[in-house]
Amino acid sequence: MSVRQPADVFPRDFLFGAATAAYQIEGAAREGGRGPSIWDTFSHTPGKVLNGDTGDVADDHYHRLTDDLDLMAELGLESYRFSIAWPRIQATGTGPANAIGLDFYERLVDGLLERGIRPIATLYHWDLPQALGDLGGWTNRATSAAFADYAAIVGRSLGDRVHTWTTLNEPWCSAFLGYGAGVHAPGITDPVASVTAAHHLNLAHGLAIQSLRAEVGDQARFSVTLNMSHLKGQGHRADDAVRQIDGISTRIFLQPMLEGSYPDDVLADTAHLTDWAFVAPGDLEVIHQPLDVLGVNYYFPLTVRALHTSEADASNPGYPGAERIAFVEEPGPRTAMGWNIDPDGLEQLLVDLRTRYPEQPLMITENGAAFDDDLVDGVVDDQRRLDYLRDHVAAVQRAMRRGADVRGYQAWSLFDNFEWALGYSKRFGIVHVDYATQVRTPKASAHWYSELIRRRTLPA
Ligand code: FCB
């Protein structure tokens, strides 16, 4: 007789964990042979990051590794998604590996395994070595080849111990916030550069999977993480508005990676900007690599509408080609980022992905919320974050009941940290960090999350 699991229990192999990224937590920006990244340059450029904050110290995780690992174990995390800082491994982005940098990640990975926590390693969470930035960064095709070499180095030393490898985190942000809107490093505002960067990121992904597979074989799982929203359309050409934004934010990455082609409508929407001559013969075959898991970062839904002929173009520098699409401000509850809270959007997104790619396993690689927390007598009662996480985990479960093959959930973030252009002003952690003392305090949401991991079921 087989033992049936009740329908509301998460499968045993579903991984509940938490996520961070190197530049957001490590600090030690000039130690251990680490070279500067485009985010060091950007954050040290006056006016780019709120309050002039930088990642120089951040959560000082680099020096507090053992304590932080112990905290993860105390919380009962089953997985930990972190990123490797490319400039710690190769200070200038090319050349031999820096042993001190590799050693840090060896200690991290071994420390996780000793505590029974699966390592989920992201190769690129936006901290491109500045030396490669000086040569054009992601607008330069050579950066993709350099990334493949870096992937091989890291794969060679950690390959046998990492549970899941992720090539890129949110390439839309790298390409379109970095080179289009200019609000992220390297701060360039050029639509053609942003589309070019998107292609080179896709190429880097494909090349890196190839080099990782060559080093690691089938011992690990291979993935990429995209930021995805649930898109809703309004107005007279609602479907067209959704199609355009979906094209330039998601399908420009998803379709080449999972199907080996660029969407015709994206090529058409951007034809007035570029002829896509940067796509060389054979590139799409390289980009199209089987993925063991597709990482989904979900935070909020978006509502869009097509402009009427009488209206002036919208200013959407992060969405080249979508000049005639406007974003609609929706009422309703929001986080401290101003992002609408919509767990049903996550359910629908996962179900839509399952419809489009029925065979593709998925993992939530980021989901979470910033709120203004108060630390009172050693306690952070972050009920709104707890509610957010609970409601989104419930949405994942509903999507799974509707057939979505979701393999895990990584809360963003384990710690309060450097929130890019917003510096330390936004707290996403389930663990509070006092930046003056570096004291870590698990918030109520962290205690709730531990309990969820232990019980594997949401309280009714
Ligand atoms: C995502 C990033 C992550 C964090 C969250 C809030 O876009 O991947 O580093 O900043 O947003």
Side-chain angles (χ1 to χ4, degrees), residues 24 125-126 169-170 173 297 299 339 366 412 419-420 428:
Q24 295 181 275
H125 202 126
W126 307 353
N169 176 72
E170 301 191 353
C173 294
N297 288 359
Y299 288 94
W339 295 344
E366 285 181 30
W412 184 270
E419 177 47 35
W420 307 112
F428 273 92

Side-chain angles (χ1 to χ4, degrees), residues 298-301 332-342 367-372 384-385 387-389 392 422 426-428:
Y298 173 87
Y299 288 94
F300 50 80
R334 290 166 189 270
T335 69
M337 297 291 280
W339 295 344
N340 280 113
I341 301 175
D342 182 9
N367 175 243
F371 289 107
D372 297 329
R384 288 176 299 177
R385 182 175 295 101
D387 292 345
Y388 181 102
L389 295 173
H392 283 76
L422 297 172
K426 302 294 175 209
R427 293 181 177 271
F428 273 92

